[in-house]
Amino acid sequence: MPRWLAILCAIPLLLLIVAAALTVDDPWGVALAKLKEGGLWTGLAAFLVMAMVLAWFRKPDAQSRASAKVK
C-alpha cells in the first residue's frame, strides 16, 4: 500500500475515534477498555499506528520500485 493511501485512509478513522471520544466522560478509560477487548477497535488502532510508522520511514535512495525495474 502506498504511503499516501495509508495516511489518507487513517485520517477519517482518526477523526471518527476523536469524535467518539469527545462524547464520553472518561475517553482514556473507554479507549483502553476497547483496545483490551480486541476485535475491530484493536485492528483500527493497529492500522493507525502502522500508517503513522510507515509515513515516517522513507526509502534510502527515494527510488520507486517501478523505476528500479527499468534500469
Side-chain angles (χ1 to χ4, degrees):
M1 176 185 315
R3 215 174 293 149
W4 62 269
L5 184 59
I7 295 169
L8 189 66
C9 291
I11 290 172
L13 294 174
L14 185 62
L15 291 175
L16 178 67
I17 291 171
V18 169
L22 293 175
T23 62
V24 296
D25 294 331
D26 182 22
W28 295 111
V30 172
L32 188 61
K34 289 289 185 183
L35 290 176
K36 282 184 179 179
E37 78 182 25
L40 176 66
W41 290 102
T42 305
L44 285 175
F47 177 78
L48 290 173
V49 169
M50 183 182 67
M52 288 186 285
V53 167
L54 287 176
W56 283 104
F57 290 113
R58 294 183 187 259
K59 295 179 183 166
D61 59 355
Q63 182 181 25
S64 68
R65 290 183 190 172
S67 64
K69 290 179 183 177
V70 173
K71 289 184 178 178

